[in-house]
Amino acid sequence: MIGKYSGPVCEFETAGPCGIVIFGASGDLTSRKLIPSLFELYVRRRIPDNFFILGVARSAMDHDAFRERVEKAIDLGVKAIKPGQKQGFLRRCYYLSGQYNSDETYKNLKNLTTDLSEKYRTLSNVIFNIATPPALYKVIVEKLSINGLVEKGKTESPFQRVIVEKPFGTDLDSAVDLNQSLLKYLAEEQIYRIDHYLGKDTVQNILAFRFANLIFENVWNRNYIDHVQITVSEAVTVEHRAGYFDQAGLVRDMLQNHMLQLVTLVAMEAPAKFDAELIRDEKVKVMRAIRPFTDVSQPSAIIRGQYKEGEINGRKVKAYRQEPGVKTNSSMETFFAAKLFIDNSRWEGVPFYLRAGKALKEKKTQIAVVFKEVPHSMFVDDIKENPLEPNVLIFGIQPQQGVFLKYQAKVPGSKMCIYPLNMNLNYADYYGVELSDDYETLLLDCMMGDQTLFWSKKGIEFSWNLITPLLKEWEKSNYDNKKVKLYFYEAGSRGPVEADELIEQDGRKWMLS
Ligand code: NDP
């Protein structure tokens, strides 16, 4: 531990006036994430009094019934609520019931947003947050445009911005098609494609760590780094998302978006300045340099796994195939482990091992940068029993957020004993603050017009370009177990042993066990 932070308070300025229209406002994401995050922003004065929230969905509800739901969502999703904090927020919440494909809904929406904009003096700035099933994204944007609620190019005040949830497409063709449909009615600068991982402070810290510190950037390459490991381990099953998940699988749900974003942050070059377009361009360059998974020269494999029944933290868990909404013979993966290479001069020959799974032993997301061994050790005679281990730099993303460096040190005593030591910087302890929720950061960024943490058109298409051939191969074989091998693992375990073999055959091992 390195004492406590005593530097300046680093908070965003308060966003300007705006109204927030949430489509799919009766749904899970709205209650669990959007409302609690907006409330936190309101309480912390990151959004001004000049704002309103207007929920839109088919469910029949009046403003008061919606406010009751909003209040419940706050009670469930926000830890510390002071007396009197909710009223001002709830007063600013409104609801409109209507079909997503009916012009009448949008006519009513236009009237209501105009009135609310005047009432709350939001300068006609508006964000449309589309939190519906993905099949509705296109029709909602089309109807918004036809009915005069969005106009292409309205990027600055009075702005009209659109937040689109993940998944953005299911393969390359559908992502290109969705981009084309949205870009018919909106400028790229008006589209905010969410990847909530990017809203995490520790994820953003990767760039600060690499590019604001001379000591790391100099060794951040194939000469010093042996390999990189990225693990996203979840202790939850597919739960209520089983229906969606059985169509998508974990490669679509996790690799195409969150994990590729983490790879790009570790691997990208520094742009000339911290600018959304420049940063997003650098990420695209990394994605273009990733060797295709289906390339025959790729000495990798991708291991697919699926959980059987088991026990997680003392709780009995059904097999994936027994989950309601999952086909009883489903071959969809709930786990994968992969090795990828980035074919550029910085990373040539450095493997990136990626591993993600559901229903595993613990919840943990981390990036481990494993350095090479010291080329020659003068301590040979002193360390026979414990050979020197290489340095490892870990970015903890969840649940523990921080940076952890493993290095060698002399153990106190008369003998020259060397043993690894961990230098731990736990964010929450050091900064003494609750870290913002990822959606808080992203919603505020959208209000501020900052697209840095959102996917660009090119980025999303290149990520699908990488994953789609692999998915097509699997689909061609109809996910037949024999052709696209599926390895079963017990719920509550570390995943299939074949994932260990993937890395161990290269003489390495996973940092987390
Ligand atoms: P829901 O399934 O809860 O759907 C949201 C709302 O959309 C529902 O309340 C319903 O409202 C309406 N709706 C649902 N199905 C249909 C349908 N077939 N036709 C028309 N309207 C429908 O979704 P979530 O809130 O879970 O997610 C919203 C979006 O966010 C999705 O794209 C999802 O992939 C994404 N997302 C969700 C996460 C989560 O944790 N929930 C995490 C990450 C992304 P009504 O019937 O009242 O119109």
Side-chain angles (χ1 to χ4, degrees):
M1 220 19 248
I2 325 168
K4 289 269 179 205
Y5 178 71
S6 58
V9 175
C10 174
E11 279 284 11
F12 277 113
E13 306 147 66
T14 300
C18 80
I20 297 166
V21 176
I22 303 175
F23 285 94
S26 57
D28 177 69
L29 185 77
T30 304
S31 301
R32 278 196 317 107
K33 286 290 187 182
L34 303 181
I35 294 295
S37 298
L38 288 166
F39 179 73
E40 291 274 20
L41 289 171
Y42 175 73
V43 168
R44 294 199 284 120
R45 314 287 303 157
R46 297 299 128 217
I47 41 183
D49 282 339
N50 309 76
F51 96 98
F52 64 85
I53 294 172
L54 171 53
V56 182
R58 296 170 307 177
S59 303
M61 251 189 289
D62 59 15
H63 300 315
D64 284 337
F66 182 59
R67 285 179 191 132
E68 271 175 39
R69 270 177 185 251
V70 169
E71 185 165 15
K72 218 182 269 173
I74 295 171
D75 291 341
L76 280 173
V78 181
K79 277 191 211 130
I81 307 164
K82 294 201 184 105
Q85 276 180 334
K86 282 189 286 191
Q87 277 56 41
F89 184 84
L90 291 173
R91 260 201 311 275
R92 289 174 168 74
C93 293
Y94 296 83
Y95 184 79
L96 174 70
S97 167
Q99 300 293 329
Y100 302 104
N101 58 0
S102 147
D103 287 317
E104 196 192 334
T105 306
Y106 296 83
K107 287 196 177 92
N108 293 338
L109 181 59
K110 191 162 187 195
N111 291 337
L112 198 46
T113 48
T114 306
D115 291 350
L116 292 172
S117 176
E118 271 169 31
K119 178 168 180 177
Y120 292 102
R121 289 175 285 121
T122 56
L123 310 177
S124 302
N125 292 325
V126 61
I127 291 174
F128 297 98
N129 192 333
I130 308 183
T132 61
L136 297 167
Y137 297 167
K138 280 204 254 180
V139 68
I140 290 173
V141 171
E142 184 190 354
K143 294 286 179 192
L144 284 172
S145 170
I146 291 171
N147 290 284
L149 283 133
V150 294
E151 189 184 320
K152 194 167 179 166
K154 286 262 187 182
T155 53
E156 299 305 330
S157 194
F159 61 73
Q160 292 151 355
R161 298 178 185 144
V162 173
I163 297 179
V164 187
E165 265 305 328
K166 86 158 221 205
F168 195 97
T170 53
D171 58 14
L172 178 60
D173 289 347
S174 57
V176 168
D177 177 60
L178 181 54
N179 271 329
Q180 278 172 354
S181 303
L182 301 189
L183 287 162
K184 231 191 270 175
Y185 307 110
L186 300 164
E188 174 65 12
E189 294 74 21
Q190 289 171 283
I191 306 173
Y192 289 71
R193 303 172 189 85
I194 279 213
D195 184 330
H196 65 86
Y197 257 57
L198 293 180
K200 295 182 191 300
D201 269 314
T202 34
V203 170
Q204 295 164 55
N205 186 43
I206 299 169
L207 291 188
F209 202 84
R210 289 190 52 202
F211 300 129
N213 295 295
L214 192 66
I215 54 170
F216 292 107
E217 185 50 14
N218 279 330
V219 293
W220 211 260
N221 56 54
R222 63 192 300 272
N223 298 325
Y224 297 94
I225 292 178
D226 180 73
H227 71 281
V228 176
Q229 299 182 12
I230 303 180
T231 299
V232 180
S233 158
E234 294 181 274
V236 290
T237 62
V238 289
E239 297 177 328
H240 60 282
R241 294 176 75 217
Y244 151 76
F245 196 89
D246 207 38
Q247 302 292 316
L250 199 67
V251 164
R252 273 195 180 90
D253 196 48
M254 193 56 79
L255 177 59
Q256 176 271 326
N257 39 66
H258 310 317
M259 290 185 89
L260 281 181
Q261 282 286 356
L262 297 181
V263 170
T264 59
L265 289 168
V266 173
M268 66 184 259
E269 301 300 319
K273 60 180 183 166
F274 192 74
D275 166 274
E277 200 183 332
L278 297 183
I279 287 178
R280 299 198 306 178
D281 282 353
E282 289 301 333
K283 289 182 176 179
V284 168
K285 286 184 204 161
V286 174
M287 263 182 280
R288 297 184 78 161
I290 295 176
R291 200 178 300 166
F293 287 103
T294 44
D295 189 330
V296 281
S297 66
Q298 169 88 307
S300 86
I302 176 155
I303 303 289
R304 303 171 71 245
Q306 190 187 88
Y307 63 85
K308 301 186 291 184
E309 61 188 14
E311 208 174 285
I312 305 174
N313 298 324
R315 186 175 52 93
K316 286 236 175 300
V317 167
K318 283 188 212 149
Y320 176 68
R321 288 177 176 183
Q322 290 161 3
E323 299 272 10
V326 171
K327 290 190 287 299
T328 51
N329 61 349
S330 171
S331 289
M332 200 44 90
E333 77 282 350
T334 60
F335 177 99
F336 71 82
K339 177 164 72 168
L340 66 79
F341 286 95
I342 299 170
D343 290 330
N344 63 21
S345 58
R346 188 190 280 261
W347 295 109
E348 191 61 38
V350 179
F352 281 62
Y353 298 97
L354 313 181
R355 180 174 61 152
K358 293 209 169 275
L360 295 176
K361 190 170 133 197
E362 62 178 339
K363 171 179 170 145
K364 196 161 222 173
T365 301
Q366 72 171 36
I367 301 171
V369 180
V370 182
F371 289 85
K372 294 191 171 177
E373 290 176 4
V374 286
H376 168 75
S377 170
M378 66 176 190
F379 300 111
V380 176
D381 292 338
D382 303 288
I383 55 158
K384 274 191 207 108
E385 287 147 36
N386 296 306
L388 286 186
E389 287 181 26
N391 296 123
V392 182
L393 181 68
I394 292 180
F395 294 97
I397 292 166
Q398 63 183 15
Q400 209 186 10
Q401 303 201 35
V403 181
F404 314 101
L405 176 67
K406 184 162 112 181
Y407 65 105
Q408 302 295 330
K410 182 187 172 302
V411 181
S414 58
K415 216 175 144 207
M416 190 61 173
C417 298
I418 294 174
Y419 202 73
L421 191 67
N422 290 318
M423 190 148 67
N424 291 350
L425 171 65
N426 184 309
Y427 256 42
D429 290 348
Y430 179 65
Y431 291 103
V433 289
E434 281 278 327
L435 299 179
S436 306
D437 180 81
D438 34 25
Y439 269 90
E440 266 175 64
T441 305
L442 295 170
L443 290 168
L444 187 60
D445 277 4
C446 178
M447 292 177 215
M448 309 284 277
D450 183 349
Q451 289 186 304
T452 310
L453 301 179
F454 295 82
W455 278 98
S456 65
K457 169 187 182 290
K458 268 201 240 161
I460 209 123
E461 290 180 5
F462 274 107
S463 73
W464 276 121
N465 189 44
L466 198 63
I467 303 296
T468 302
L470 186 71
L471 295 171
K472 286 246 156 38
E473 254 182 35
W474 293 348
E475 272 154 23
K476 233 182 349 194
S477 72
N478 209 11
Y479 290 92
D480 178 345
N481 275 357
K482 289 189 203 84
K483 291 186 199 134
V484 186
K485 235 176 154 51
L486 185 70
Y487 298 99
F488 291 91
Y489 60 98
E490 237 172 69
S493 71
R494 295 166 37 239
V497 289
E498 287 76 9
D500 296 341
E501 286 163 14
L502 176 88
I503 189 166
E504 283 166 9
Q505 71 196 6
D506 296 344
R508 302 178 173 109
K509 61 181 173 44
W510 294 110
M511 300 302 302
L512 274 174
S513 54

